[in-house]
Amino acid sequence: MVYIVGAGPGAADLITVRGLKLLQQADVVIYAGSLVNRELLRETKAGCRIYDSARMTLEAVLFQIEKAEQEGLMTVRLHTGDPCLYGAVREQMDELNLRQIPYQICPGVSSFCGAAAALEMEYTLPGISQSVVITRMAGRTGVPERERIRRFAALKATMVIFLSAGMLRELKEELLAGGYREDTPAALVYKATWPEEKVLRCTVGELEETGKKEGITKTALIIVGEAAAQKGYLRSKLYSPEFETGFRKAEGV
Ligand code: SAH
């Protein structure tokens, strides 16, 4: 059996309870060494075989999984954040399907949640934005033309941009081309929830120099949109006294 587990955004205690239990039971762990906190590996039992997938191809990962299966062992494939975002898990699951190796996914806390916590931010502010666009700049992995940053920028929703900290100038140009202003609130969150976390609030116009000043070129998220100012929003209906829900009567009416 293979468990595809989300390790969380960084801090070792932000793995889920289920993920931790699986890690403690694993005979083989293949972890994404570029971003998974190595402290988590201390949770593995004695004799657990541990591999860093940062140094492996998909073929090499599958080789170790198949070997473990033949020996009747349990494998945890540990991905950063939640496996569903930029996790390259589909290709892995398809190969496991081909080999009839059973697997299950255990979700994790994505870094975009870790970044919101670091910023003490609600992405979805009533009256400001009720949507979050999770996207990236094209890098060595392409992005479909219809999903260019400028097209999402035109929506004026809250944006959380992954895998783009090394392209802040180009990112800024795309954001401006899409209609965000230079003074649109933005933030850079480097290594959210890690001890070396950095939270930098700026504007779209200041993104590049902010990143440069702090030497940030990777492992960061860029948050853009009016919501980043966390001001000017409307009160929620859900918690307002005059609003009635299935759980609570309206007050004072
Ligand atoms: N599945 C992961 C994302 C993997 S892609 C998740 O759910 O978070 C790797 C990218 O995620 C990095 O380039 C960076 O943009 C972002 N990232 C991962 N961990 C991060 C963290 N702790 N702080 C900020 N950004 C992070």
Side-chain angles (χ1 to χ4, degrees):
M1 184 74 181
V2 178
Y3 292 91
I4 297 171
V5 177
D13 56 354
L14 282 177
I15 191 170
T16 64
V17 174
R18 184 187 297 180
L20 180 63
K21 284 184 183 158
L22 291 168
L23 195 58
Q24 288 165 341
Q25 291 161 14
D27 304 300
V28 177
V29 170
I30 306 174
Y31 73 104
S34 52
L35 281 169
V36 167
N37 192 334
R38 280 183 181 72
E39 254 183 57
L40 280 170
L41 303 177
R42 285 197 217 139
E43 299 292 338
T44 56
K45 61 187 184 190
C48 177
R49 300 206 295 250
I50 298 176
Y51 302 94
D52 177 0
S53 64
R55 298 160 201 285
M56 297 160 82
T57 58
L58 173 61
E59 286 72 13
V61 168
L62 290 163
F63 177 81
Q64 293 303 339
I65 292 177
E66 267 192 299
K67 200 164 132 214
E69 286 300 301
Q70 280 157 11
E71 294 171 50
L73 302 177
M74 190 269 257
T75 301
V76 162
R77 174 71 174 103
L78 198 55
H79 289 266
T80 178
D82 186 278
C84 77
L85 290 172
Y86 309 112
V89 282
R90 184 66 263 162
E91 58 189 25
Q92 204 172 249
M93 293 189 289
D94 282 343
E95 291 296 330
L96 294 176
N97 286 340
L98 277 178
R99 292 164 173 76
Q100 295 183 320
I101 296 175
Y103 56 86
Q104 242 180 46
I105 302 178
C106 172
V109 177
S110 175
S111 60
F112 82 90
C113 302
L119 285 161
E120 297 174 356
M121 181 171 170
E122 178 174 349
Y123 289 140
T124 53
L125 286 179
I128 305 277
S129 170
Q130 288 291 287
S131 313
V132 184
V133 174
I134 289 173
T135 186
R136 61 169 297 171
M137 290 280 284
R140 279 190 292 182
T141 301
V143 171
E145 178 63 24
R146 62 180 180 276
E147 293 182 17
R148 271 183 84 162
I149 296 279
R150 62 179 67 196
R151 302 192 63 172
F152 287 128
L155 300 173
K156 301 285 162 52
T158 306
M159 294 180 78
V160 180
I161 303 159
F162 281 69
L163 295 159
S164 305
M167 290 175 268
L168 293 175
R169 181 189 306 157
E170 297 86 340
L171 174 63
K172 172 182 137 182
E173 279 163 14
E174 280 292 308
L175 291 167
L176 294 175
Y180 276 124
R181 297 183 321 270
E182 292 258 354
D183 64 355
T184 300
L188 267 167
V189 182
Y190 170 74
K191 292 201 98 173
T193 80
W194 289 79
E196 56 272 42
E197 169 186 286
K198 281 185 192 167
V199 176
L200 306 160
R201 293 166 209 271
C202 59
T203 61
V204 166
E206 294 162 349
L207 273 172
E208 188 191 357
E209 62 191 78
T210 306
K212 219 178 238 169
K213 203 156 61 187
E214 299 287 337
I216 295 172
T217 55
K218 57 176 188 175
T219 327
L221 290 172
I222 300 110
I223 291 92
V224 181
E226 274 316 312
Q230 297 282 281
K231 284 189 196 126
Y233 59 91
L234 305 172
R235 248 192 84 159
S236 70
K237 295 262 192 292
L238 186 61
Y239 294 107
S240 77
E242 64 274 14
F243 193 72
E244 193 158 304
T245 75
F247 298 95
R248 179 172 64 74
K249 288 248 171 285
E251 289 173 21
V253 283

